[in-house]
Amino acid sequence: MRKEGPNLPSSSPVLWIVTRLVSVQLLASYAEIPCFDVSHLQEMASSKSLMNLLTFTFGSAIGFFVCYLLFSIILEEQVKIQPHVLHNDPHGQHLADTDNNQLQGQMNFNADAGQHKDEDKNIAEGLYHKVKILCWVMTGPQNLEKKAKHVKATWAQRCNKVLFMSSEENKDFPTVGLETKEGRDQLYWKTIKAFQYVYDNYFDDADWFMKADDDTYVILDNLRWLLSKYSPEQPIYFGRRFKPYVKQGYMSGGAGYVLSKEALKRFIAAFKTNKCTHSSSIEDLALGKCMEIINVEAGDSRDTSGRETFHPFVPEHHLIRGYLPKTFWYWNYNYYPAVEGPGCCSDLAVSFHYVDSVTMYHLEYLIYHLRPYGYLYRYNPDLSKNPEEQSKNEALEDNQKLKQKISES
């Protein structure tokens, strides 16, 4: 057990030392004042005693003023170096935290869709019909206005089907009532019941089934590209792969994860046969253990260049070197070696977590609306392993487009 030492202030040892020095000076000043009885009342009026009293008063005032200045400077410096808020719990997703950037209303960012009418969306539209994804968003009554409505106004519109799962039904929003309590210890119960509801009502309406939080932003088009290489009849699921506690790893809950049709089928059956139970309130870890038991593969969601697509934080946490200290849990949890800086994230990123309502619209604009003038986006991840071949194909495409423009003119 740790021995108790002197009660040093947590703000600064320097401040404590200065305070003690001032206290000693004050005691010394007191010591200079003689102790008198009634017979010495006239001596107290002497000029020497008055001078001592004035010296003591002046010294006290100066001492307290110096202490105040030092204390103010130290506090100000602490505020300046206060680190950004980091999420110190790898399983702490979907907390009922206060959204400091909370918006009062939602925005329609797709009202100007006509600006992009000339873009070639054939591949994305083809994948929309070929790779059908049902998204269910974990939320709660307290978050419908703060978070869920902004998900509904942005990325959720690109799901083939979207459901908002809550502890209570809300017919106006709408939400599905799972008849659970709210709270962190209820996350896995909500997850089990949500997947059960999806299986009972929408199993035949989609090929893949994604769970996301109401502070997760998902780029569905990129997810469809990832999933298009796999069969929904294959027992597999994808997300940001963590490594502790489960041999094959498990997927971070906050970054979202997606189950194939076969994986969902096995997950539901496992609870009927007691292969899986509500063994823990830690949703993502408990689900990962169940997936391993029922032989559902933890898939590799990295792109063809080996860069991650699912992200447990907002972009700046991953892109800015030094943002996440090396003592942070994140570095020990990644299944694959984590990279900080521009190499952290795939150009075909799928998700980001801890996205507040304002950032939700930032990402919507940057991903689906901002365009550099004069460029045709032509990144083909399937050819990125062979840059020379990709450059050759791009050159041929450019020549064909140039010939077409010349003939039209």
Side-chain angles (χ1 to χ4, degrees), residues 77-125:
E77 289 299 317
Q78 287 183 339
V79 171
K80 287 181 180 179
I81 63 174
Q82 185 70 26
H84 294 282
V85 175
L86 297 177
H87 304 280
N88 290 317
D89 186 351
H91 309 292
Q93 64 274 6
H94 192 71
L95 297 180
D97 55 329
T98 300
D99 187 352
N100 294 325
N101 292 328
Q102 184 182 150
L103 295 176
Q104 296 302 316
Q106 65 189 61
M107 293 176 278
N108 182 8
F109 263 47
N110 297 309
D112 67 342
Q115 294 183 16
H116 310 298
K117 63 182 180 180
D118 296 329
E119 289 184 334
D120 186 353
K121 301 179 181 178
N122 290 333
I123 296 178
E125 291 175 353

Side-chain angles (χ1 to χ4, degrees), residues 12-128:
S12 172
V14 176
L15 180 59
W16 181 82
I17 294 171
V18 171
T19 306
R20 295 301 296 267
L21 288 174
V22 172
S23 299
V24 171
Q25 179 63 39
L26 295 180
L27 289 174
S29 300
Y30 273 122
E32 293 180 2
I33 302 177
C35 186
F36 304 105
D37 56 20
V38 178
S39 64
H40 297 106
L41 287 177
Q42 291 184 349
E43 294 183 16
M44 289 181 61
S46 66
S47 59
K48 184 176 180 180
S49 298
L50 183 59
M51 184 61 68
N52 286 339
L53 183 60
L54 290 174
T55 301
F56 166 73
T57 304
F58 181 75
S60 299
I62 293 296
F64 282 115
F65 181 71
V66 170
C67 288
Y68 172 78
L69 286 179
L70 288 173
F71 190 67
S72 299
I73 292 173
I74 291 169
L75 285 181
E76 184 178 356
E77 289 299 317
Q78 287 183 339
V79 171
K80 287 181 180 179
I81 63 174
Q82 185 70 26
H84 294 282
V85 175
L86 297 177
H87 304 280
N88 290 317
D89 186 351
H91 309 292
Q93 64 274 6
H94 192 71
L95 297 180
D97 55 329
T98 300
D99 187 352
N100 294 325
N101 292 328
Q102 184 182 150
L103 295 176
Q104 296 302 316
Q106 65 189 61
M107 293 176 278
N108 182 8
F109 263 47
N110 297 309
D112 67 342
Q115 294 183 16
H116 310 298
K117 63 182 180 180
D118 296 329
E119 289 184 334
D120 186 353
K121 301 179 181 178
N122 290 333
I123 296 178
E125 291 175 353
L127 286 176
Y128 179 86

Side-chain angles (χ1 to χ4, degrees), residues 303-314:
D303 68 11
T304 52
S305 298
R307 293 181 296 178
E308 297 281 4
T309 57
F310 288 78
H311 303 288
F313 303 111
V314 290

Side-chain angles (χ1 to χ4, degrees), residues 335-353:
Y335 191 88
Y336 307 105
V339 178
E340 61 179 339
C344 69
C345 312
S346 171
D347 284 4
L348 293 175
V350 169
S351 69
F352 295 97
H353 187 216

Side-chain angles (χ1 to χ4, degrees), residues 53 167 280:
L53 183 60
S167 57
S280 170

